[in-house]
Amino acid sequence: MSDRLPVSVLLLARDETQYLAALLPTLSFAREVVVVWDPRGDMRTREVAEQHGAKVFSREFSGFGPQRQFALDQCTQPWVLWIDADERLGQDAATRLAQFIAPGMEHSAIALHRVTYFLGEPIRHCGWQGETLVRVFRREGAKFDESPVHERLGTPARTLVTSDVVLTHLSYETWDQCVDKPRAYARLGAAKAFAAGKRAGLFDVVWRPPLRFVRMYLLQWGVLDGARGWLVCSLGAWQVFLKYAELWDRTRRERLGR
């Protein structure tokens, strides 16, 4: 244990049994792995996490922001690695991270380069290119906001941006995931927008989806990703349609007093 990095791994889980079985052995460089499991999910997911030595906490999902903050509250190490079940670190990540979190470093957060895969192939355009995300940070002073989706992490002081540690995102491995995820994120996005006081009309439902497609496919060069690029951009537009259609319905029901 003493030769492991002073890092708590922060993970949310529900039905990610196979993902966790592949991910957890790669995180042995960390002193602890904290998994917050939604009890409405597959019990085998919890069992796999426990079998690999993770500290598992049961909490019903209440939005990504609150759920991650609960997980952060369970972490004990000075540094935290935030990773999702469908993400993977590069082979030399432990060595690189050891250098970045060595005593005397002035930064308090590290932004990693992420490459997202779609149906088995990396997407190089569509607005997904050049993505850097703060995923390693000092625990002290860090806090997630209350957003149900697209949550933000507040960290003090400086952020180091590096491409030396690559985060691979296996987000859309099957067509079922391609269909289910946009619908789930659209619902959460509509709820977040409505709670923030935003409302939607016919313009939003009719025009925002095609504008999103044009931006991703043409302005962000999704066309260069071939057939997968067309699908990514189409699904992006579909998610926008679902979000604003639900927001429009919430707006309509509010006006009717329902």
Side-chain angles (χ1 to χ4, degrees), residues 19-39:
Y19 281 116
L20 287 188
L23 172 63
L24 291 175
T26 71
L27 302 175
S28 59
F29 61 83
R31 287 184 184 169
E32 70 175 5
V33 177
V34 173
V35 174
V36 176
W37 174 72
D38 186 340

Side-chain angles (χ1 to χ4, degrees), residues 54-254:
K55 297 180 180 178
V56 182
F57 299 87
S58 177
R59 185 178 191 269
E60 189 167 311
F61 183 79
S62 59
F64 284 101
Q67 199 79 346
R68 291 200 201 280
Q69 182 58 44
F70 176 81
L72 179 58
D73 291 340
Q74 315 313 313
C75 296
T76 64
Q77 297 301 306
W79 288 89
V80 176
L81 165 63
W82 159 19
I83 193 169
D84 290 334
D86 59 358
E87 294 176 331
R88 301 290 181 270
L89 290 168
Q91 292 183 349
D92 60 345
T95 301
R96 296 292 187 181
L97 289 177
Q99 298 171 352
F100 294 146
I101 67 174
M105 292 295 180
E106 296 183 357
H107 53 265
S108 62
I110 304 168
L112 309 182
H113 176 61
R114 186 169 77 166
V115 177
T116 299
Y117 278 63
F118 180 84
L119 298 179
E121 296 290 338
I123 296 297
R124 304 296 185 185
H125 305 90
C126 303
W128 292 5
Q129 68 274 20
E131 188 178 25
T132 57
L133 303 169
V134 172
R135 289 306 189 84
V136 182
F137 53 92
R138 293 186 188 272
R139 178 173 58 87
E140 184 176 0
K143 184 177 178 62
F144 288 96
D145 65 16
E146 294 291 319
S147 296
V149 66
H150 302 310
E151 67 282 11
R152 293 180 179 273
L153 171 68
T155 57
R158 300 182 182 180
T159 297
L160 170 69
V161 179
T162 179
S163 59
D164 290 342
V165 180
V166 177
L167 195 63
T168 299
H169 190 200
L170 307 174
S171 184
Y172 300 92
E173 291 196 296
T174 67
W175 184 248
D176 283 343
Q177 291 177 338
C178 296
V179 173
D180 294 340
K181 286 189 175 183
R183 182 171 53 192
Y185 281 112
R187 183 178 300 113
L188 291 171
K192 177 181 178 179
F194 190 81
K198 297 181 180 179
R199 301 297 182 262
L202 184 61
F203 173 88
D204 300 292
V205 179
V206 172
W207 289 107
R208 285 184 183 272
L211 289 175
R212 174 60 63 87
F213 180 86
V214 169
R215 188 181 80 181
M216 295 178 67
Y217 194 66
L218 298 179
L219 301 182
Q220 296 175 326
W221 299 99
V223 62
L224 299 181
D225 282 307
R228 285 179 174 80
W230 188 88
L231 286 172
V232 166
C233 299
S234 297
L235 288 170
W238 173 241
Q239 180 174 323
V240 169
F241 169 77
L242 291 175
K243 172 185 173 180
Y244 281 96
E246 178 160 342
L247 186 57
W248 170 84
D249 184 55
R250 285 172 176 258
T251 303
R252 177 187 64 84
R253 288 187 284 115
E254 180 185 52

